[in-house]
Amino acid sequence: MAFADHDEYRTPPDRRPGLVPRLCPWPELPFYARVLWIVGRSRLEVARGVYDGAHWAKSSEDIVRALEWVGVKLTIEGMDVLRRFEGPAVFVGNHMSTLETFVLPAVIQPVKPATFVVKESLLAYPWFGPILGSRDPIAVGRRSPREDFTKVLREGTDRIGRGMSVIVFPQTTRSDELRLDRFNSIGAKLAARAGVPLVPVALRTDAWGNGRRLKDFGPVRPDRPVRFRFGPPIVPERRGLAAQEACVAFLRDTLKEWGVRVVEGAEDYFSRTSSPASGSRV
């Protein structure tokens, strides 16, 4: 794997877009054609019963190569964090686009087997749904925040007990900005409940934009850099409130450094994390 044994990754500066993307005025066309080919191949592997963690990581790395093929530059920092401790963790990041869902497995899975907390509706997608379902995700319906909160704690603790890390995006929806009043504490509470480290992951992924009609198929913007940064592992105590504050501080400071808009909303944020249902808006 390109990422498993490295502390950071940067797209080589001399890597040029492929011939087809250079000739095409719309980078979305060749990019989504390649993504659909990768998804289709993976779907067949699921049907054959051979799509395991290694295949998931490989298909995720193929998405990275597709992004670079159309000219997107990636920087992934702090990957040494994944090797600092034994066992699973809870990874908590901001949610900007579809890109992080496709790319994070290439980075995390080879070191720490992982799964996602996902919207239940994603599992109904005709091709991508079975692929995601094969990874034993924690699916929430978003109809009852309290039920979602309880389910994430229960099933997340189960996955962690089986040696799987859990990736959580606590924001209610994908957004080009970080809204702290909408960044719930479910990841910190899960880490505290399961007794594992919380690892913050700052993400700038607006190179793969959100579409207006089909949210997963937005504009591809090679001029916008993709950046991932893993923060130091945080050991939660009690209900995980201190870990939540440390996680939010890391994301806030890193995203501001990258020029991403951060809406503080501190009063709402702290009031939500102190209530029983504060982490329920997964």
Side-chain angles (χ1 to χ4, degrees):
M1 290 296 298
F3 309 112
D5 299 322
H6 295 79
D7 293 346
E8 68 174 39
Y9 172 81
R10 298 177 187 273
T11 299
D14 58 348
R15 180 167 295 173
R16 298 181 61 201
L19 177 61
V20 173
R22 290 204 305 271
L23 295 176
C24 182
W26 303 284
E28 295 84 5
L29 296 181
F31 174 70
Y32 286 123
R34 181 162 287 195
V35 167
L36 291 174
W37 181 84
I38 295 167
V39 170
R41 182 197 65 197
S42 299
R43 177 65 182 88
L44 293 176
E45 291 172 341
V46 170
R48 290 166 48 208
V50 298
Y51 193 78
D52 56 10
H55 282 79
W56 191 33
K58 177 60 170 63
S59 61
S60 177
E61 185 180 350
D62 289 343
I63 296 293
V64 173
R65 302 303 170 221
L67 287 162
E68 293 178 326
W69 181 61
V70 297
V72 176
K73 303 292 186 182
L74 291 92
T75 300
I76 306 174
E77 302 170 285
M79 291 188 290
D80 58 301
V81 165
L82 304 179
R83 301 186 296 275
R84 287 188 194 175
F85 58 92
E86 298 293 330
V90 176
F91 294 88
V92 176
N94 59 297
H95 199 11
M96 189 170 281
S97 79
T98 304
L99 188 151
E100 53 261 26
T101 308
F102 275 93
V103 170
L104 277 173
V107 183
I108 297 175
Q109 175 67 29
V111 184
K112 296 186 180 296
T115 192
F116 284 98
V117 176
V118 301
K119 290 188 300 183
E120 194 175 78
S121 60
L122 290 178
L123 300 180
Y125 281 28
W127 284 88
F128 181 67
I131 298 170
L132 187 59
S134 73
R135 300 295 88 219
D136 201 12
I138 301 165
V140 295
R142 293 189 174 177
R143 293 177 292 273
S144 169
R146 190 173 293 276
E147 288 180 8
D148 289 347
F149 174 71
T150 302
K151 184 175 185 180
V152 171
L153 288 184
R154 182 182 68 252
E155 295 195 12
T157 302
D158 169 72
R159 303 298 191 278
I160 290 168
R162 292 193 271 127
M164 298 177 69
S165 293
V166 177
I167 304 168
V168 185
F169 302 125
Q171 283 179 268
T172 55
T173 188
R174 304 170 205 167
S175 176
D176 287 349
E177 62 185 16
L178 176 63
R179 288 286 303 268
L180 297 186
D181 61 329
R182 297 179 182 175
F183 199 89
N184 68 62
S185 58
I186 185 61
K189 289 175 180 175
L190 174 58
R193 169 76 65 89
V196 297
L198 182 158
V199 178
V201 190
L203 303 161
R204 180 179 176 183
T205 59
D206 53 342
W208 184 337
N210 297 310
R212 293 183 180 179
R213 295 184 179 179
L214 296 174
K215 200 166 186 180
D216 297 320
F217 294 90
V220 176
R221 299 174 284 220
D223 58 312
R224 300 192 182 188
V226 170
R227 302 199 66 169
F228 289 19
R229 182 180 294 170
F230 291 85
I234 304 164
V235 178
E237 298 179 0
R238 297 182 181 180
R239 296 177 60 208
L241 295 184
Q244 172 76 352
E245 293 175 23
C247 175
V248 167
F250 175 82
L251 298 180
R252 179 190 63 222
D253 295 347
T254 303
L255 293 174
K256 282 185 175 180
E257 176 190 329
W258 294 344
V260 176
R261 184 170 182 261
V262 177
V263 180
E264 295 287 348
E267 183 176 352
D268 287 343
Y269 155 67
F270 283 114
S271 66
R272 289 170 190 234
T273 57
S274 64
S275 66
S278 62
S280 57
R281 293 170 54 209
V282 179

